[in-house]
Every structure is written in C-alpha cells, then in structure tokens.
Amino acid sequence: MKKIVFLILLSIFSTGLFAECAGHQCSNVKITRMYISPSGDTIISTSGDESKLSCDAGTSGYLSMAVEQKNYNATYSLILMAHSTGHPIAIRTTESGSCKIQYVVSDK
C-alpha cells in the first residue's frame, strides 16, 4: 500500500519535470542556445529532443522565429527571459516544414 501511495505522489509531483518534444510542441524545456541570424531571425535550441517534433529541426535541432512574425517582439522577450533565467517554457512550432516558433508559454 505504501508503494502505491508513493507512486501516486511521485506521478503527481513529477508532472512536467522532464523536458519533452513531440508533435508540434516542446514542453518544460530550457533554452540551451540562442542566436540572431544575419537576417535578424532568432534561432534557438532547447533541452528537449527537437528531432521528435513533426517539423524539421535539421541536424542541429534548431527552432527559428522570423523577424517579420507578427508577435516577434513579445515572443523574443519571453524567450530571452527564459534563456537568461533558466526558466523552463513550452514552445509551439509549425507542424511541418522547417521548425518555426508559433508561440511560447511560461508558467510559474
């Protein structure tokens, strides 16, 4: 009985502790690398495995966000905050083609 209670508590409190990428989203990931391309696009890699995304992250596993994107400034600010503080975020990407960042979510 103690083992069952322990496993239930473990599953409740460990939810979201592990970085994961699947489908068109990376959840609970930390930004491990961030740079700005010559065209002004933001390029990032995360603590998740971007190869598991349905879009193409390339051999290096990078996600990108075009400077022309409507919500670029707000999304860039949130990504930069996450990178600077080490705070995990969720990243929604395109479903196919090269991996383009659609939006990001930060939970407290």
Side-chain angles (χ1 to χ4, degrees), residues 38-50:
S39 65
D41 295 349
T42 299
I43 314 295
I44 66 166
S45 62
T46 74
S47 58
D49 183 356
E50 288 90 353

Side-chain angles (χ1 to χ4, degrees), residues 49-92:
D49 183 356
E50 288 90 353
S51 69
K52 294 182 179 178
L53 291 168
S54 58
C55 57
D56 182 12
T59 57
S60 300
Y62 288 119
L63 311 176
S64 66
M65 184 176 63
V67 71
E68 298 86 17
Q69 187 170 315
K70 183 178 178 182
N71 60 349
Y72 179 86
N73 287 335
T75 305
Y76 175 83
S77 294
L78 191 53
I79 291 170
L80 182 60
M81 178 279 307
H83 183 59
S84 299
T85 64
H87 185 77
I89 58 174
I91 303 170
R92 169 67 158 82

